Amino acid sequence: QVQLVESGGGWVQAGGSLSLSCTASESISSTIRTMGWYRQAPGKQRQLVATITSGDTTNYADSVKGRFAISRDNAKNAVYLQMNSLKPEDTAVYYCHADVWVYMHGQADYWGQGTQVTVSS
């Protein structure tokens, strides 16, 4: 099993910055592959924010390109999201995600508990 623990988030005024961190506890029978961040605003579906592969290939939602930066520390099984120039529409619960290969079971998705990001205008 893999557990994802998030930290960061909070409240900020528009134009400000926040950072998120997520650390995964990896078992010896699993391998963490792509990690990423998703967000869900009230009344909306969860949507991709950014992902990063174990080889540091990144992918961003168009709405955050140029403002957010995802990074990863494979040695720590950690993924980070630096959010700059925040807008009120970035307000959401942000979830850490890990695509994991579990020995004898195959691919599995794991999610963090979510952390609130609120951007005021």
Side-chain angles (χ1 to χ4, degrees), residues 72-119:
R72 179 171 178 165
D73 185 335
N74 290 327
K76 297 180 179 179
N77 287 330
V79 63
Y80 310 97
L81 186 68
Q82 178 63 41
M83 303 181 290
N84 300 322
S85 302
L86 282 161
K87 304 175 181 180
E89 51 264 43
D90 294 318
T91 295
V93 177
Y94 284 68
Y95 295 90
C96 177
H97 171 265
D99 170 20
V100 179
W101 182 263
V102 182
Y103 179 69
M104 295 295 289
H105 290 278
Q107 189 274 339
D109 291 298
Y110 289 90
W111 295 91
Q113 78 280 7
T115 185
Q116 178 70 45
V117 170
T118 302
V119 184

Side-chain angles (χ1 to χ4, degrees), residues 25-101:
S25 61
E26 184 181 25
S27 72
I28 60 173
S29 62
S30 62
T31 300
I32 297 173
R33 303 188 298 188
T34 298
M35 299 185 76
W37 293 93
Y38 290 71
R39 66 187 182 187
Q40 187 168 17
K44 295 187 177 181
Q45 290 188 329
R46 191 172 299 186
Q47 60 178 196
L48 178 146
V49 176
T51 61
I52 184 167
T53 69
S54 57
D56 288 338
T57 298
T58 59
N59 179 50
Y60 294 93
D62 288 342
S63 59
V64 306
K65 283 180 180 177
R67 300 187 299 121
F68 290 12
I70 190 170
S71 60
R72 179 171 178 165
D73 185 335
N74 290 327
K76 297 180 179 179
N77 287 330
V79 63
Y80 310 97
L81 186 68
Q82 178 63 41
M83 303 181 290
N84 300 322
S85 302
L86 282 161
K87 304 175 181 180
E89 51 264 43
D90 294 318
T91 295
V93 177
Y94 284 68
Y95 295 90
C96 177
H97 171 265
D99 170 20
V100 179
W101 182 263

